[in-house]
Amino acid sequence: MSEEHFKNVISHAKEYGFVFPSSEIYDGLAAVYDYGQNGVELKKNIREYWWKSMVQLHENIVGIDASIFMAPKVWKASGHIDGFSDPMIDNKDSKKRYRADVLIEDYQEKYRIKNQKEITKAKKRFGDDFDEAQFVATNPNIARNNAKIDEIDARLKDGLESGELHKVKELIEELGIACPVSGSKNWTDVRQFNLMYSTQMSATDGESQIYLRPETAQGIFVNYLNVQKTGRMRLPFGIAQTGKAFRNEIVARQFIMRMKEFEQMEMQFFVAPGEEQKWYDYWKEHRLKWHTNLGTNPAKYRYHDHVKMAHYANNAVDIEYDFPFGFKEVEGIHSRTDFDLKQHEEFTGKKLQYFDNERNESYVPYVVETSIGLDRMFLVLMSNALEEEKLEDGQTRTLLRLPAALAPYQCAILPLTKKDGLPEMARKIMKSLSLDFNCYYEEKDSIGKRYRRQDAIGTPFCITIDHDSLTNESVTVRYRDTMEQKRVKVSELESIISQEVSMKKLLQGLM
Ligand code: ATP
């Protein structure tokens, strides 16, 4: 996939009512976006797929909906006031600001691409006999590239963890990394920028500074005891939450990939100390399955172990997706130890412990977190689904091959003409199908044009009502992906559509 494809995704998202720049009539607001009439449906369906897979399919996971505003001390305890920052570097010629670690990671990506090319070449040469694992383990070029990647990883980690940011700048200079805009290597020093937004809250005793939450996780931690006690939860158990988070991303770019206001879907899984590795492995595997279960090519996903561990984690991996601009994080799985609950114990003076009957002792649970950005997932689906398909007659059609259960509309109801009682019959069908599905009604323009508009927003089924329908209670069903058309009875519609679009079918893939 190319940068060209990415541009198409952005313009398609706007043209078809998925994503608009925020406050566009005021020339927009950088890195803030609004979801339009189709985008909001797709987003809601992704959220529902996540929620059901977590809460409905796991009897030991429950949900909450905590506030965006929290007591300011929460962020002191969590480490965000002191430590939630990104290492930034400016190019003196273009005046552009970059995340230093991202510049270095992009540089490393070149070695990964080189490796991939070696593999592709060898695959061609050896054909069916090709043993990829063995080739990767023994090829000297790949070994050299991997050694280079590891060496850079180690130096980046050292610079970031020691806080000696001059080492990170030296690494950028040594690698000869140039500014993608100016092409120059004239860099400032690397500095840390805090990512939290703050505002004022009035109280009887004056004003206090409070923060817009930069992650939803802390809302879960501060409610750990409430949920555990009122829900009589036994370990291991999880608390899930979806909601807005805010980060003052200095380098906001790549559309909805990196926004200042975005939505997270997080789940904190509380386990007994010593059990965290087992559950980390479980969630790592389970979450990847959630992604590939959507029918995306598994080769487009990979795990990426963290080099720079967050201050709270003892194990962390990203699930990355091959976006049009390369592999980037969609989701993080973090083993957060007992860090957060212990910090909240210390800052509140309250016990946040669990009494384990079997071990006959109280302890602070360990936590394994899964954290996915809803907007990034939206981008995964849009960039994976958008396709210019060449048809047999030489024409092309724009198609959004979204997973059927997540499409904004499940079916479109299209009377062939605006007269002869066809709209009335169509409305009747619409009224009954609307109880189960989100239906789109349209009677304007030729049927061919209407089909194309539905293809472009990903509607899996078009139902056409024609003159024969009036006499024999049958309609034509057209399938989005194959364009196949079938004559079916009106009474069969509900079962035909629900077989394809049901969330149930999608969830079954996870069982
Ligand atoms: P990155 O390294 O890309 O900044 P992160 O490691 O800071 O991401 P986490 O703090 O682990 O991200 O947040 C969990 C998830 O939230 C990420 O996997 C991503 O999908 C999403 N996310 C984080 N920051 C943003 C953002 N600015 N815009 C959109 N989604 C985001």
Side-chain angles (χ1 to χ4, degrees), residues 99 247 249 256-259 262 264 329-332 334 371-373 376:
R99 259 178 65 180
R247 292 182 189 179
E249 301 276 6
I256 53 174
M257 183 74 197
R258 189 172 297 288
M259 302 152 91
F262 58 100
Q264 288 187 315
E329 168 180 352
V330 189
E331 171 156 7
H334 310 126
S371 173
I372 172 170
R376 276 194 200 174

Side-chain angles (χ1 to χ4, degrees), residues 84 86 99 101-102 195 214-215 247 249 256-264 266 306 312 318-319 329-332 334 369 371-377:
F84 191 52
D86 279 338
R99 259 178 65 180
D101 54 336
V102 172
L195 294 170
E215 61 172 28
R247 292 182 189 179
E249 301 276 6
I256 53 174
M257 183 74 197
R258 189 172 297 288
M259 302 152 91
K260 297 189 184 223
E261 173 179 344
F262 58 100
E263 190 165 337
Q264 288 187 315
E266 296 197 300
H306 273 213
Y312 49 75
D318 293 338
I319 294 179
E329 168 180 352
V330 189
E331 171 156 7
H334 310 126
E369 154 185 272
S371 173
I372 172 170
L374 177 48
D375 312 87
R376 276 194 200 174
M377 191 57 209

Side-chain angles (χ1 to χ4, degrees), residues 221 259 336 371 419 453 465:
F221 290 124
M259 302 152 91
R336 292 180 79 128
S371 173
K419 45 186 199 298
R453 276 203 289 270
I465 294 94

Side-chain angles (χ1 to χ4, degrees), residues 386-422:
L386 183 64
E387 205 175 296
E388 284 294 318
E389 191 185 48
K390 271 232 169 318
L391 301 177
E392 280 173 11
D393 61 6
Q395 292 194 3
T396 54
R397 67 164 177 154
T398 305
L399 177 63
L400 206 55
R401 219 186 268 275
L402 290 170
L406 305 187
Y409 291 93
Q410 286 78 55
C411 62
I413 316 262
L414 314 171
L416 195 59
T417 66
K418 275 194 239 175
K419 45 186 199 298
D420 305 332
L422 298 187

